[in-house]
Structures are given as structure tokens and as C-alpha cells.
Amino acid sequence: MNKTKIRATEQPIAVDIEGLSAMLSCGRATARKIGEQAGAKIVIGRGFFIP
């Protein structure tokens, strides 16, 4: 089995709430509201991601 390579990118495909709130310079609640209103919500388990 090959070892998994971790690659850092400057433009990720999706970000979590922390990443979105940092991009928008707003709080977590506001970032979550913006993501939901935009219709750009990906839920995996308890994770909430914005593409």
C-alpha cells in the first residue's frame, strides 16, 4: 500500500466554518448563515463545509 501524500493548496475546494469566517472576517454564526443562504452547504457527519 502506498503512503498517502498530503498536499497543501492555496485555493481549497471546500472550507470549514473556521476557514470561511477567516476569509470573510466575520464570526462563526455569520459565516454559517451566509453558507446556508448561498445554498453551498456540504454536511459530512457533524462537519459543515462550504465549497
Side-chain angles (χ1 to χ4, degrees):
M1 182 182 297
N2 295 332
K3 185 176 179 181
T4 303
K5 295 179 184 177
I6 299 174
R7 298 180 182 122
T9 61
E10 292 180 18
Q11 297 178 341
I13 294 171
V15 294
D16 58 357
I17 294 298
E18 295 295 325
L20 183 62
S21 64
M23 285 179 177
L24 300 175
S25 298
C26 64
R28 289 182 53 153
T30 304
R32 186 176 190 108
K33 183 191 272 186
I34 291 170
E36 287 177 347
Q37 288 179 352
K41 178 171 87 169
I42 300 172
V43 178
I44 301 173
R46 291 178 54 188
F48 183 92
F49 301 93
I50 308 297

mmCIF file of all heavy atoms in Angstrom:
data_model
loop_
_atom_site.group_PDB
_atom_site.id
_atom_site.type_symbol
_atom_site.label_atom_id
_atom_site.label_comp_id
_atom_site.label_asym_id
_atom_site.label_seq_id
_atom_site.Cartn_x
_atom_site.Cartn_y
_atom_site.Cartn_z
ATOM 1 N N MET A 1 0.838 -1.167 0.000
ATOM 2 C CA MET A 1 0.000 0.000 0.000
ATOM 3 C C MET A 1 0.893 1.243 0.000
ATOM 4 O O MET A 1 1.871 1.307 0.734
ATOM 5 C CB MET A 1 -0.901 0.001 1.238
ATOM 6 C CG MET A 1 -1.834 1.180 1.265
ATOM 7 S SD MET A 1 -2.879 1.273 2.716
ATOM 8 C CE MET A 1 -3.824 -0.192 2.575
ATOM 9 N N ASN A 2 0.537 2.228 -0.818
ATOM 10 C CA ASN A 2 1.314 3.454 -0.901
ATOM 11 C C ASN A 2 0.937 4.409 0.224
ATOM 12 O O ASN A 2 -0.216 4.440 0.665
ATOM 13 C CB ASN A 2 1.069 4.159 -2.237
ATOM 14 C CG ASN A 2 1.568 3.339 -3.411
ATOM 15 O OD1 ASN A 2 2.499 2.559 -3.263
ATOM 16 N ND2 ASN A 2 0.948 3.510 -4.554
ATOM 17 N N LYS A 3 1.899 5.187 0.644
ATOM 18 C CA LYS A 3 1.660 6.162 1.692
ATOM 19 C C LYS A 3 0.875 7.351 1.118
ATOM 20 O O LYS A 3 1.123 7.791 -0.003
ATOM 21 C CB LYS A 3 3.004 6.657 2.250
ATOM 22 C CG LYS A 3 2.851 7.582 3.409
ATOM 23 C CD LYS A 3 4.204 7.967 3.976
ATOM 24 C CE LYS A 3 4.005 8.926 5.118
ATOM 25 N NZ LYS A 3 5.264 9.357 5.689
ATOM 26 N N THR A 4 -0.090 7.848 1.866
ATOM 27 C CA THR A 4 -0.899 8.979 1.430
ATOM 28 C C THR A 4 -0.079 10.255 1.482
ATOM 29 O O THR A 4 0.591 10.540 2.469
ATOM 30 C CB THR A 4 -2.131 9.151 2.336
ATOM 31 O OG1 THR A 4 -2.868 7.937 2.317
ATOM 32 C CG2 THR A 4 -3.019 10.275 1.867
ATOM 33 N N LYS A 5 -0.124 11.021 0.400
ATOM 34 C CA LYS A 5 0.605 12.276 0.338
ATOM 35 C C LYS A 5 -0.342 13.412 0.707
ATOM 36 O O LYS A 5 -1.470 13.465 0.243
ATOM 37 C CB LYS A 5 1.141 12.517 -1.067
ATOM 38 C CG LYS A 5 2.166 11.504 -1.499
ATOM 39 C CD LYS A 5 2.632 11.778 -2.908
ATOM 40 C CE LYS A 5 3.598 10.701 -3.368
ATOM 41 N NZ LYS A 5 4.009 10.906 -4.750
ATOM 42 N N ILE A 6 0.126 14.297 1.541
ATOM 43 C CA ILE A 6 -0.655 15.474 1.920
ATOM 44 C C ILE A 6 -0.111 16.662 1.150
ATOM 45 O O ILE A 6 1.073 16.977 1.220
ATOM 46 C CB ILE A 6 -0.585 15.733 3.439
ATOM 47 C CG1 ILE A 6 -1.167 14.532 4.187
ATOM 48 C CG2 ILE A 6 -1.304 17.012 3.795
ATOM 49 C CD1 ILE A 6 -1.027 14.615 5.677
ATOM 50 N N ARG A 7 -0.986 17.297 0.396
ATOM 51 C CA ARG A 7 -0.567 18.438 -0.416
ATOM 52 C C ARG A 7 -1.349 19.667 0.019
ATOM 53 O O ARG A 7 -2.569 19.655 0.048
ATOM 54 C CB ARG A 7 -0.836 18.155 -1.888
ATOM 55 C CG ARG A 7 -0.059 16.983 -2.406
ATOM 56 C CD ARG A 7 -0.365 16.765 -3.874
ATOM 57 N NE ARG A 7 0.351 15.598 -4.341
ATOM 58 C CZ ARG A 7 -0.222 14.545 -4.884
ATOM 59 N NH1 ARG A 7 -1.516 14.514 -5.052
ATOM 60 N NH2 ARG A 7 0.499 13.522 -5.270
ATOM 61 N N ALA A 8 -0.643 20.721 0.307
ATOM 62 C CA ALA A 8 -1.276 21.983 0.674
ATOM 63 C C ALA A 8 -1.564 22.784 -0.598
ATOM 64 O O ALA A 8 -0.722 22.864 -1.487
ATOM 65 C CB ALA A 8 -0.381 22.781 1.600
ATOM 66 N N THR A 9 -2.761 23.349 -0.676
ATOM 67 C CA THR A 9 -3.119 24.161 -1.837
ATOM 68 C C THR A 9 -3.482 25.564 -1.378
ATOM 69 O O THR A 9 -3.932 25.765 -0.256
ATOM 70 C CB THR A 9 -4.311 23.575 -2.600
ATOM 71 O OG1 THR A 9 -5.441 23.540 -1.729
ATOM 72 C CG2 THR A 9 -4.024 22.177 -3.096
ATOM 73 N N GLU A 10 -3.308 26.517 -2.261
ATOM 74 C CA GLU A 10 -3.664 27.887 -1.933
ATOM 75 C C GLU A 10 -5.165 28.120 -2.068
ATOM 76 O O GLU A 10 -5.718 28.980 -1.406
ATOM 77 C CB GLU A 10 -2.902 28.851 -2.847
ATOM 78 C CG GLU A 10 -1.415 28.866 -2.595
ATOM 79 C CD GLU A 10 -0.696 29.833 -3.502
ATOM 80 O OE1 GLU A 10 -1.351 30.729 -4.071
ATOM 81 O OE2 GLU A 10 0.519 29.698 -3.635
ATOM 82 N N GLN A 11 -5.814 27.358 -2.933
ATOM 83 C CA GLN A 11 -7.243 27.504 -3.149
ATOM 84 C C GLN A 11 -7.934 26.163 -2.897
ATOM 85 O O GLN A 11 -8.096 25.355 -3.807
ATOM 86 C CB GLN A 11 -7.519 27.984 -4.568
ATOM 87 C CG GLN A 11 -6.945 29.346 -4.850
ATOM 88 C CD GLN A 11 -7.187 29.762 -6.285
ATOM 89 O OE1 GLN A 11 -7.453 28.945 -7.142
ATOM 90 N NE2 GLN A 11 -7.081 31.041 -6.537
ATOM 91 N N PRO A 12 -8.367 25.915 -1.673
ATOM 92 C CA PRO A 12 -9.018 24.640 -1.377
ATOM 93 C C PRO A 12 -10.382 24.542 -2.059
ATOM 94 O O PRO A 12 -11.022 25.550 -2.372
ATOM 95 C CB PRO A 12 -9.169 24.673 0.145
ATOM 96 C CG PRO A 12 -9.147 26.114 0.499
ATOM 97 C CD PRO A 12 -8.265 26.776 -0.517
ATOM 98 N N ILE A 13 -10.825 23.314 -2.296
ATOM 99 C CA ILE A 13 -12.118 23.082 -2.941
ATOM 100 C C ILE A 13 -13.259 23.464 -1.990
ATOM 101 O O ILE A 13 -14.240 24.058 -2.405
ATOM 102 C CB ILE A 13 -12.240 21.608 -3.363
ATOM 103 C CG1 ILE A 13 -11.210 21.314 -4.440
ATOM 104 C CG2 ILE A 13 -13.637 21.284 -3.845
ATOM 105 C CD1 ILE A 13 -11.092 19.862 -4.793
ATOM 106 N N ALA A 14 -13.126 23.112 -0.738
ATOM 107 C CA ALA A 14 -14.145 23.438 0.260
ATOM 108 C C ALA A 14 -13.451 23.841 1.555
ATOM 109 O O ALA A 14 -12.347 23.397 1.843
ATOM 110 C CB ALA A 14 -15.055 22.246 0.505
ATOM 111 N N VAL A 15 -14.099 24.707 2.316
ATOM 112 C CA VAL A 15 -13.549 25.139 3.603
ATOM 113 C C VAL A 15 -14.566 24.861 4.700
ATOM 114 O O VAL A 15 -15.761 24.755 4.442
ATOM 115 C CB VAL A 15 -13.187 26.649 3.607
ATOM 116 C CG1 VAL A 15 -12.065 26.941 2.654
ATOM 117 C CG2 VAL A 15 -14.383 27.502 3.284
ATOM 118 N N ASP A 16 -14.083 24.762 5.919
ATOM 119 C CA ASP A 16 -14.995 24.595 7.038
ATOM 120 C C ASP A 16 -15.420 25.973 7.542
ATOM 121 O O ASP A 16 -15.063 27.003 6.973
ATOM 122 C CB ASP A 16 -14.343 23.766 8.150
ATOM 123 C CG ASP A 16 -13.062 24.378 8.671
ATOM 124 O OD1 ASP A 16 -12.637 25.416 8.152
ATOM 125 O OD2 ASP A 16 -12.491 23.805 9.613
ATOM 126 N N ILE A 17 -16.212 25.993 8.592
ATOM 127 C CA ILE A 17 -16.734 27.258 9.117
ATOM 128 C C ILE A 17 -15.604 28.164 9.586
ATOM 129 O O ILE A 17 -15.639 29.372 9.371
ATOM 130 C CB ILE A 17 -17.746 26.998 10.258
ATOM 131 C CG1 ILE A 17 -18.980 26.291 9.703
ATOM 132 C CG2 ILE A 17 -18.144 28.281 10.946
ATOM 133 C CD1 ILE A 17 -19.735 27.093 8.680
ATOM 134 N N GLU A 18 -14.580 27.583 10.203
ATOM 135 C CA GLU A 18 -13.453 28.389 10.667
ATOM 136 C C GLU A 18 -12.747 29.070 9.498
ATOM 137 O O GLU A 18 -12.411 30.246 9.555
ATOM 138 C CB GLU A 18 -12.462 27.515 11.441
ATOM 139 C CG GLU A 18 -13.001 26.938 12.724
ATOM 140 C CD GLU A 18 -13.320 28.007 13.746
ATOM 141 O OE1 GLU A 18 -12.603 29.027 13.816
ATOM 142 O OE2 GLU A 18 -14.315 27.831 14.463
ATOM 143 N N GLY A 19 -12.536 28.322 8.423
ATOM 144 C CA GLY A 19 -11.880 28.880 7.246
ATOM 145 C C GLY A 19 -12.714 29.958 6.573
ATOM 146 O O GLY A 19 -12.199 30.990 6.143
ATOM 147 N N LEU A 20 -14.033 29.716 6.478
ATOM 148 C CA LEU A 20 -14.917 30.702 5.862
ATOM 149 C C LEU A 20 -14.991 31.969 6.694
ATOM 150 O O LEU A 20 -14.948 33.071 6.153
ATOM 151 C CB LEU A 20 -16.318 30.121 5.666
ATOM 152 C CG LEU A 20 -17.316 31.026 4.957
ATOM 153 C CD1 LEU A 20 -16.848 31.354 3.545
ATOM 154 C CD2 LEU A 20 -18.685 30.394 4.944
ATOM 155 N N SER A 21 -15.068 31.820 8.012
ATOM 156 C CA SER A 21 -15.132 33.012 8.863
ATOM 157 C C SER A 21 -13.826 33.807 8.782
ATOM 158 O O SER A 21 -13.841 35.031 8.831
ATOM 159 C CB SER A 21 -15.449 32.638 10.310
ATOM 160 O OG SER A 21 -14.420 31.866 10.871
ATOM 161 N N ALA A 22 -12.699 33.123 8.589
ATOM 162 C CA ALA A 22 -11.424 33.827 8.415
ATOM 163 C C ALA A 22 -11.388 34.551 7.072
ATOM 164 O O ALA A 22 -10.906 35.682 6.988
ATOM 165 C CB ALA A 22 -10.263 32.846 8.513
ATOM 166 N N MET A 23 -11.917 33.905 6.017
ATOM 167 C CA MET A 23 -11.949 34.539 4.694
ATOM 168 C C MET A 23 -12.824 35.789 4.680
ATOM 169 O O MET A 23 -12.490 36.780 4.043
ATOM 170 C CB MET A 23 -12.509 33.571 3.656
ATOM 171 C CG MET A 23 -11.600 32.498 3.216
ATOM 172 S SD MET A 23 -12.499 31.493 2.026
ATOM 173 C CE MET A 23 -11.242 30.346 1.572
ATOM 174 N N LEU A 24 -13.960 35.707 5.379
ATOM 175 C CA LEU A 24 -14.923 36.801 5.360
ATOM 176 C C LEU A 24 -14.716 37.805 6.488
ATOM 177 O O LEU A 24 -15.404 38.826 6.531
ATOM 178 C CB LEU A 24 -16.353 36.242 5.452
ATOM 179 C CG LEU A 24 -16.771 35.294 4.334
ATOM 180 C CD1 LEU A 24 -18.152 34.731 4.621
ATOM 181 C CD2 LEU A 24 -16.750 36.002 3.001
ATOM 182 N N SER A 25 -13.816 37.507 7.401
ATOM 183 C CA SER A 25 -13.569 38.350 8.581
ATOM 184 C C SER A 25 -14.856 38.596 9.360
ATOM 185 O O SER A 25 -15.237 39.731 9.648
ATOM 186 C CB SER A 25 -12.939 39.686 8.172
ATOM 187 O OG SER A 25 -11.706 39.484 7.555
ATOM 188 N N CYS A 26 -15.532 37.487 9.671
ATOM 189 C CA CYS A 26 -16.765 37.580 10.447
ATOM 190 C C CYS A 26 -16.776 36.438 11.464
ATOM 191 O O CYS A 26 -15.855 35.625 11.506
ATOM 192 C CB CYS A 26 -17.992 37.523 9.534
ATOM 193 S SG CYS A 26 -18.173 35.978 8.649
ATOM 194 N N GLY A 27 -17.813 36.373 12.255
ATOM 195 C CA GLY A 27 -17.935 35.330 13.259
ATOM 196 C C GLY A 27 -18.416 34.019 12.664
ATOM 197 O O GLY A 27 -18.823 33.939 11.507
ATOM 198 N N ARG A 28 -18.381 32.959 13.502
ATOM 199 C CA ARG A 28 -18.794 31.634 13.042
ATOM 200 C C ARG A 28 -20.268 31.597 12.682
ATOM 201 O O ARG A 28 -20.645 30.998 11.671
ATOM 202 C CB ARG A 28 -18.517 30.607 14.130
ATOM 203 C CG ARG A 28 -17.061 30.332 14.340
ATOM 204 C CD ARG A 28 -16.891 29.276 15.384
ATOM 205 N NE ARG A 28 -17.708 28.133 14.970
ATOM 206 C CZ ARG A 28 -17.466 26.890 15.288
ATOM 207 N NH1 ARG A 28 -16.445 26.614 16.046
ATOM 208 N NH2 ARG A 28 -18.225 25.908 14.873
ATOM 209 N N ALA A 29 -21.119 32.221 13.487
ATOM 210 C CA ALA A 29 -22.559 32.195 13.231
ATOM 211 C C ALA A 29 -22.888 32.897 11.917
ATOM 212 O O ALA A 29 -23.702 32.406 11.122
ATOM 213 C CB ALA A 29 -23.313 32.843 14.381
ATOM 214 N N THR A 30 -22.251 34.018 11.660
ATOM 215 C CA THR A 30 -22.488 34.757 10.419
ATOM 216 C C THR A 30 -21.988 33.962 9.220
ATOM 217 O O THR A 30 -22.659 33.897 8.182
ATOM 218 C CB THR A 30 -21.795 36.127 10.465
ATOM 219 O OG1 THR A 30 -22.252 36.834 11.618
ATOM 220 C CG2 THR A 30 -22.097 36.931 9.228
ATOM 221 N N ALA A 31 -20.833 33.328 9.342
ATOM 222 C CA ALA A 31 -20.287 32.531 8.251
ATOM 223 C C ALA A 31 -21.210 31.358 7.936
ATOM 224 O O ALA A 31 -21.459 31.045 6.768
ATOM 225 C CB ALA A 31 -18.892 32.033 8.610
ATOM 226 N N ARG A 32 -21.736 30.720 8.960
ATOM 227 C CA ARG A 32 -22.661 29.600 8.759
ATOM 228 C C ARG A 32 -23.943 30.064 8.082
ATOM 229 O O ARG A 32 -24.448 29.427 7.156
ATOM 230 C CB ARG A 32 -22.969 28.927 10.088
ATOM 231 C CG ARG A 32 -23.785 27.681 9.945
ATOM 232 C CD ARG A 32 -23.984 27.009 11.304
ATOM 233 N NE ARG A 32 -24.558 25.720 11.101
ATOM 234 C CZ ARG A 32 -23.930 24.572 11.263
ATOM 235 N NH1 ARG A 32 -22.685 24.565 11.662
ATOM 236 N NH2 ARG A 32 -24.533 23.427 11.035
ATOM 237 N N LYS A 33 -24.459 31.214 8.509
ATOM 238 C CA LYS A 33 -25.672 31.765 7.918
ATOM 239 C C LYS A 33 -25.458 32.091 6.443
ATOM 240 O O LYS A 33 -26.302 31.779 5.602
ATOM 241 C CB LYS A 33 -26.095 33.026 8.671
ATOM 242 C CG LYS A 33 -27.395 33.629 8.167
ATOM 243 C CD LYS A 33 -27.632 35.008 8.753
ATOM 244 C CE LYS A 33 -28.341 34.952 10.054
ATOM 245 N NZ LYS A 33 -28.695 36.296 10.549
ATOM 246 N N ILE A 34 -24.327 32.702 6.108
ATOM 247 C CA ILE A 34 -24.012 33.045 4.719
ATOM 248 C C ILE A 34 -23.914 31.780 3.871
ATOM 249 O O ILE A 34 -24.443 31.722 2.762
ATOM 250 C CB ILE A 34 -22.710 33.866 4.639
ATOM 251 C CG1 ILE A 34 -22.944 35.252 5.234
ATOM 252 C CG2 ILE A 34 -22.210 33.973 3.207
ATOM 253 C CD1 ILE A 34 -21.676 36.056 5.436
ATOM 254 N N GLY A 35 -23.257 30.754 4.383
ATOM 255 C CA GLY A 35 -23.118 29.498 3.649
ATOM 256 C C GLY A 35 -24.454 28.826 3.394
ATOM 257 O O GLY A 35 -24.707 28.312 2.301
ATOM 258 N N GLU A 36 -25.333 28.833 4.394
ATOM 259 C CA GLU A 36 -26.641 28.213 4.232
ATOM 260 C C GLU A 36 -27.509 29.005 3.266
ATOM 261 O O GLU A 36 -28.207 28.433 2.429
ATOM 262 C CB GLU A 36 -27.333 28.087 5.581
ATOM 263 C CG GLU A 36 -26.721 27.010 6.461
ATOM 264 C CD GLU A 36 -27.364 26.928 7.826
ATOM 265 O OE1 GLU A 36 -28.123 27.847 8.210
ATOM 266 O OE2 GLU A 36 -27.097 25.934 8.524
ATOM 267 N N GLN A 37 -27.490 30.331 3.357
ATOM 268 C CA GLN A 37 -28.305 31.159 2.476
ATOM 269 C C GLN A 37 -27.816 31.091 1.029
ATOM 270 O O GLN A 37 -28.606 31.251 0.104
ATOM 271 C CB GLN A 37 -28.327 32.601 2.948
ATOM 272 C CG GLN A 37 -29.144 32.803 4.208
ATOM 273 C CD GLN A 37 -29.133 34.241 4.677
ATOM 274 O OE1 GLN A 37 -28.412 35.084 4.178
ATOM 275 N NE2 GLN A 37 -29.966 34.519 5.685
ATOM 276 N N ALA A 38 -26.529 30.843 0.829
ATOM 277 C CA ALA A 38 -25.983 30.721 -0.519
ATOM 278 C C ALA A 38 -26.322 29.365 -1.132
ATOM 279 O O ALA A 38 -26.143 29.166 -2.328
ATOM 280 C CB ALA A 38 -24.472 30.922 -0.497
ATOM 281 N N GLY A 39 -26.795 28.444 -0.310
ATOM 282 C CA GLY A 39 -27.110 27.109 -0.807
ATOM 283 C C GLY A 39 -25.867 26.286 -1.071
ATOM 284 O O GLY A 39 -25.891 25.344 -1.853
ATOM 285 N N ALA A 40 -24.777 26.647 -0.435
ATOM 286 C CA ALA A 40 -23.499 25.972 -0.647
ATOM 287 C C ALA A 40 -23.097 25.244 0.623
ATOM 288 O O ALA A 40 -22.126 25.593 1.270
ATOM 289 C CB ALA A 40 -22.445 27.001 -1.036
ATOM 290 N N LYS A 41 -23.851 24.211 0.969
ATOM 291 C CA LYS A 41 -23.621 23.518 2.228
ATOM 292 C C LYS A 41 -23.347 22.051 1.955
ATOM 293 O O LYS A 41 -24.096 21.405 1.235
ATOM 294 C CB LYS A 41 -24.846 23.679 3.114
ATOM 295 C CG LYS A 41 -24.776 22.976 4.437
ATOM 296 C CD LYS A 41 -25.935 23.379 5.328
ATOM 297 C CE LYS A 41 -27.138 22.516 5.079
ATOM 298 N NZ LYS A 41 -28.183 22.692 6.082
ATOM 299 N N ILE A 42 -22.263 21.541 2.521
ATOM 300 C CA ILE A 42 -21.939 20.116 2.457
ATOM 301 C C ILE A 42 -21.831 19.637 3.896
ATOM 302 O O ILE A 42 -21.033 20.154 4.668
ATOM 303 C CB ILE A 42 -20.598 19.861 1.739
ATOM 304 C CG1 ILE A 42 -20.642 20.376 0.309
ATOM 305 C CG2 ILE A 42 -20.261 18.380 1.764
ATOM 306 C CD1 ILE A 42 -19.297 20.331 -0.388
ATOM 307 N N VAL A 43 -22.639 18.652 4.265
ATOM 308 C CA VAL A 43 -22.599 18.108 5.622
ATOM 309 C C VAL A 43 -22.080 16.683 5.552
ATOM 310 O O VAL A 43 -22.641 15.839 4.859
ATOM 311 C CB VAL A 43 -24.002 18.137 6.271
ATOM 312 C CG1 VAL A 43 -23.958 17.535 7.657
ATOM 313 C CG2 VAL A 43 -24.545 19.543 6.310
ATOM 314 N N ILE A 44 -20.998 16.431 6.253
ATOM 315 C CA ILE A 44 -20.421 15.097 6.362
ATOM 316 C C ILE A 44 -20.317 14.792 7.847
ATOM 317 O O ILE A 44 -19.481 15.371 8.542
ATOM 318 C CB ILE A 44 -19.037 15.007 5.690
ATOM 319 C CG1 ILE A 44 -19.144 15.377 4.213
ATOM 320 C CG2 ILE A 44 -18.456 13.611 5.861
ATOM 321 C CD1 ILE A 44 -17.816 15.474 3.504
ATOM 322 N N GLY A 45 -21.177 13.907 8.321
ATOM 323 C CA GLY A 45 -21.224 13.618 9.753
ATOM 324 C C GLY A 45 -21.633 14.881 10.489
ATOM 325 O O GLY A 45 -22.674 15.458 10.229
ATOM 326 N N ARG A 46 -20.777 15.330 11.395
ATOM 327 C CA ARG A 46 -21.049 16.575 12.108
ATOM 328 C C ARG A 46 -20.330 17.751 11.477
ATOM 329 O O ARG A 46 -20.441 18.880 11.932
ATOM 330 C CB ARG A 46 -20.617 16.434 13.564
ATOM 331 C CG ARG A 46 -21.500 15.469 14.329
ATOM 332 C CD ARG A 46 -21.067 15.283 15.749
ATOM 333 N NE ARG A 46 -20.964 16.546 16.433
ATOM 334 C CZ ARG A 46 -20.462 16.702 17.639
ATOM 335 N NH1 ARG A 46 -19.999 15.667 18.292
ATOM 336 N NH2 ARG A 46 -20.396 17.891 18.203
ATOM 337 N N GLY A 47 -19.568 17.492 10.411
ATOM 338 C CA GLY A 47 -18.817 18.545 9.723
ATOM 339 C C GLY A 47 -19.707 19.347 8.791
ATOM 340 O O GLY A 47 -20.644 18.835 8.183
ATOM 341 N N PHE A 48 -19.417 20.613 8.673
ATOM 342 C CA PHE A 48 -20.169 21.550 7.810
ATOM 343 C C PHE A 48 -19.155 22.242 6.928
ATOM 344 O O PHE A 48 -18.285 22.950 7.430
ATOM 345 C CB PHE A 48 -20.898 22.544 8.727
ATOM 346 C CG PHE A 48 -21.779 23.521 7.988
ATOM 347 C CD1 PHE A 48 -23.094 23.221 7.781
ATOM 348 C CD2 PHE A 48 -21.286 24.720 7.534
ATOM 349 C CE1 PHE A 48 -23.923 24.126 7.131
ATOM 350 C CE2 PHE A 48 -22.091 25.618 6.889
ATOM 351 C CZ PHE A 48 -23.420 25.321 6.674
ATOM 352 N N PHE A 49 -19.250 22.031 5.625
ATOM 353 C CA PHE A 49 -18.270 22.582 4.697
ATOM 354 C C PHE A 49 -18.950 23.435 3.643
ATOM 355 O O PHE A 49 -20.085 23.187 3.262
ATOM 356 C CB PHE A 49 -17.477 21.465 4.014
ATOM 357 C CG PHE A 49 -16.732 20.587 4.967
ATOM 358 C CD1 PHE A 49 -17.293 19.433 5.441
ATOM 359 C CD2 PHE A 49 -15.474 20.959 5.414
ATOM 360 C CE1 PHE A 49 -16.616 18.621 6.338
ATOM 361 C CE2 PHE A 49 -14.784 20.165 6.302
ATOM 362 C CZ PHE A 49 -15.354 19.003 6.773
ATOM 363 N N ILE A 50 -18.232 24.431 3.157
ATOM 364 C CA ILE A 50 -18.723 25.315 2.110
ATOM 365 C C ILE A 50 -17.802 25.148 0.902
ATOM 366 O O ILE A 50 -16.602 25.382 1.016
ATOM 367 C CB ILE A 50 -18.691 26.801 2.564
ATOM 368 C CG1 ILE A 50 -19.397 26.979 3.904
ATOM 369 C CG2 ILE A 50 -19.271 27.697 1.495
ATOM 370 C CD1 ILE A 50 -20.852 26.661 3.905
ATOM 371 N N PRO A 51 -18.353 24.781 -0.267
ATOM 372 C CA PRO A 51 -17.492 24.656 -1.453
ATOM 373 C C PRO A 51 -17.149 26.000 -2.058
ATOM 374 O O PRO A 51 -17.751 26.970 -1.861
ATOM 375 C CB PRO A 51 -18.315 23.833 -2.426
ATOM 376 C CG PRO A 51 -19.717 23.957 -1.978
ATOM 377 C CD PRO A 51 -19.681 24.325 -0.539
#
